[in-house]
Amino acid sequence: MIKAALTVLLILVAMSSTFGKYIPKTGKRSVQTLSRGWGDQLIWAQTYEEALYWSRSRNKPLMVLFHLDDCPHSQALKKVFSEDVELQRTLDEDFIILNLVYETTDKHLSPDGKYVPRIIFVDPAMTVRADINGRYSNRMYAYETTDLKLLKSNMQKAKKLLKSEL
Amino acid sequence: MIKAALTVLLILVAMSSTFGKYIPKTGKRSVQTLSRGWGDQLIWAQTYEEALYWSRSRNKPLMVLFHLDDCPHSQALKKVFSEDVELQRTLDEDFIILNLVYETTDKHLSPDGKYVPRIIFVDPAMTVRADINGRYSNRMYAYETTDLKLLKSNMQKAKKLLKSEL
C-alpha cells in the first residue's frame, strides 16, 4: 500500500515537472541573471536607458561596468568585486548599477576606447564622469583586482561631487 | 560528543553562509533574471544592441517584447506565452529574443506608439518588420492572451520572408 502510494507520488512529481514546461534538447539550462555574478543581491538595471532613468529619478550616481565572460581580467575582478561586502553595500545603497557584455550606441561610455573590464560613472544629470578614472593612462577606466581600494575611493568621489553640486 | 560535533557543524554552516556575502538590510533577495518569467529556459539578449548583433551573426529574426510588471495585460500574456511549449521551442530554436521593461532610444521600435504588451519583429538585416502585426488597428503590435495562434503564425511569417529573401 505504501509502495503504491509512493509510486503514484513519484508519477505525479514527474508529471508536474514536465507538464507545460519547455525543456531544450540540450537539457535544462540554469536561468540567466542580470547580475552575471557581480553581486547577486544587488538590483541591476537591464539597459542604459533604464539606468539613466533610475539615476535621475532617485538622484543617485550610476556605475556602468563593461565586462566579458571570456576575459580573464573581467573574471578576476568579478571575484573580488562580488566578495567585497563594503563595496556591495555602498553600491546597493548609494548607486544605480548596470553591467553590460555588449557596448551601447552611446559613444560617451567609451571616452578612450572599448575594452573590458571598464567602469564608467555617470551623474544623475546624465553627465559621464570622465574625470573619475583608474591608474592606467592607456586604459583610463580599467581596474585590476588590486585596484579595489581605488575603485571604492572613486565611488566616494562620485557621491561627493554630486552632493556639492546640489 | 555528537551534540558538540553538531554544534560545531551548525556554527560552520552559519559562518559559511554569511562570510563574504552581502545581505541587504531588507533581507535576502531573489536573483533578478533576464527572462522575467517569459521563458526561463530560453536565452534572452540583455540589450537591443546585443540582440541585433546575435540576429545578424546567426541569421535569425529577432523578437522584441515590451512589457511591464504592473500591467495586467502583460502579466496575462506572459502566463500563456511562457506555458506554450510549441511557442517556446520555436523561439529557442529559430529566434533571437529580447524582453524590455524600458523603451530604447530607437524610434523604429515604436512604429505606432509606446504601449505594452507590444511585440516587434526585426529581420537579420536590422529592418523592423512593421508589416507583421496583431489584430488591433489602434495598437498594431499588441497581443492579447487569445491572440497566441496569431502570434505563432506571425512568427512563421518572420521566418518565411527571411528565407525567401536569401
Side-chain angles (χ1 to χ4, degrees):
Chain A
M1 185 57 195
I2 291 174
K3 241 185 182 172
L6 269 176
T7 310
V8 169
L9 190 72
L10 274 173
I11 291 169
L12 281 173
V13 168
M15 275 175 70
S16 69
S17 65
T18 53
F19 184 74
K21 275 187 190 164
Y22 166 66
I23 310 280
K25 265 186 243 163
T26 47
K28 209 172 174 211
R29 300 186 183 118
S30 62
V31 182
Q32 292 166 287
T33 68
L34 275 168
S35 70
R36 292 204 173 94
W38 289 84
D40 287 345
Q41 286 299 304
L42 308 183
I43 294 166
W44 296 86
Q46 181 186 3
T47 64
Y48 188 44
E49 290 80 9
E50 179 179 20
L52 286 177
Y53 177 81
W54 288 357
S55 172
R56 210 168 30 175
S57 58
R58 297 173 200 176
N59 199 34
K60 287 182 176 182
L62 161 65
M63 175 197 271
V64 187
L65 176 68
F66 292 91
H67 63 103
L68 280 174
D69 281 343
D70 55 4
C71 157
H73 297 280
S74 298
Q75 295 311 303
L77 183 63
K78 174 156 78 175
K79 191 171 168 11
V80 296
F81 186 102
S82 63
E83 288 176 356
D84 191 301
V85 174
E86 183 197 352
L87 184 145
Q88 293 278 315
R89 178 174 299 116
T90 310
L91 285 179
D92 192 28
E93 294 175 357
D94 302 330
F95 282 81
I96 302 299
I97 45 174
L98 169 69
N99 77 78
L100 291 171
V101 290
Y102 274 75
E103 297 290 338
T104 70
T105 48
D106 194 320
K107 285 172 194 169
H108 297 103
L109 289 176
S110 46
D112 65 346
K114 296 170 179 179
Y115 49 82
V116 292
R118 186 169 99 245
I119 296 178
I120 309 277
F121 292 96
V122 185
D123 76 14
M126 295 173 67
T127 308
V128 170
R129 296 289 306 268
D131 60 308
I132 303 183
N133 53 267
R135 65 172 83 256
Y136 309 100
S137 56
N138 54 338
R139 295 184 163 201
M140 285 181 65
Y141 307 96
Y143 294 83
E144 296 277 342
T145 51
T146 46
D147 299 333
L148 223 55
K149 208 175 152 186
L150 173 62
L151 177 60
K152 285 194 264 189
S153 105
N154 279 349
M155 285 162 61
Q156 294 306 319
K157 225 191 260 182
K159 280 168 59 183
K160 256 183 216 153
L161 188 63
L162 170 74
K163 276 181 191 157
S164 69
E165 277 165 350
L166 291 178
Chain B
M1 185 59 195
I2 291 173
K3 241 186 183 171
L6 269 176
T7 310
V8 169
L9 189 73
L10 274 174
I11 292 170
L12 280 174
V13 167
M15 276 177 68
S16 71
S17 65
T18 53
F19 183 73
K21 273 186 193 166
Y22 167 65
I23 310 281
K25 266 185 242 164
T26 47
K28 210 174 173 212
R29 301 187 183 117
S30 62
V31 182
Q32 293 166 289
T33 68
L34 276 169
S35 69
R36 292 202 171 94
W38 288 84
D40 287 345
Q41 287 298 305
L42 308 184
I43 294 166
W44 296 86
Q46 180 186 2
T47 64
Y48 189 44
E49 289 80 8
E50 180 179 17
L52 286 177
Y53 178 81
W54 287 358
S55 172
R56 209 167 32 174
S57 59
R58 297 173 199 175
N59 200 34
K60 287 181 177 182
L62 161 64
M63 175 198 270
V64 186
L65 176 68
F66 292 91
H67 63 103
L68 280 175
D69 282 344
D70 55 4
C71 157
H73 297 280
S74 298
Q75 296 310 304
L77 182 64
K78 175 156 78 176
K79 191 169 167 14
V80 296
F81 186 101
S82 63
E83 287 175 356
D84 191 301
V85 174
E86 183 197 353
L87 184 146
Q88 294 278 315
R89 179 175 297 117
T90 310
L91 285 179
D92 191 28
E93 295 175 356
D94 303 330
F95 282 82
I96 302 300
I97 45 174
L98 169 68
N99 77 78
L100 291 171
V101 290
Y102 275 75
E103 296 289 338
T104 70
T105 48
D106 194 319
K107 285 173 194 167
H108 296 103
L109 289 176
S110 46
D112 65 346
K114 296 169 178 180
Y115 50 81
V116 292
R118 182 168 103 247
I119 296 177
I120 308 277
F121 291 95
V122 185
D123 76 12
M126 294 172 67
T127 307
V128 169
R129 295 289 306 269
D131 60 308
I132 303 183
N133 54 268
R135 65 171 83 256
Y136 309 100
S137 56
N138 55 339
R139 294 185 162 201
M140 285 181 66
Y141 307 96
Y143 294 83
E144 297 276 343
T145 51
T146 45
D147 299 333
L148 223 55
K149 209 175 152 186
L150 173 61
L151 177 60
K152 286 193 264 190
S153 106
N154 279 349
M155 286 162 61
Q156 294 307 320
K157 224 190 260 182
K159 280 169 60 182
K160 256 184 216 152
L161 189 63
L162 171 74
K163 276 181 191 156
S164 68
E165 278 165 349
L166 292 176

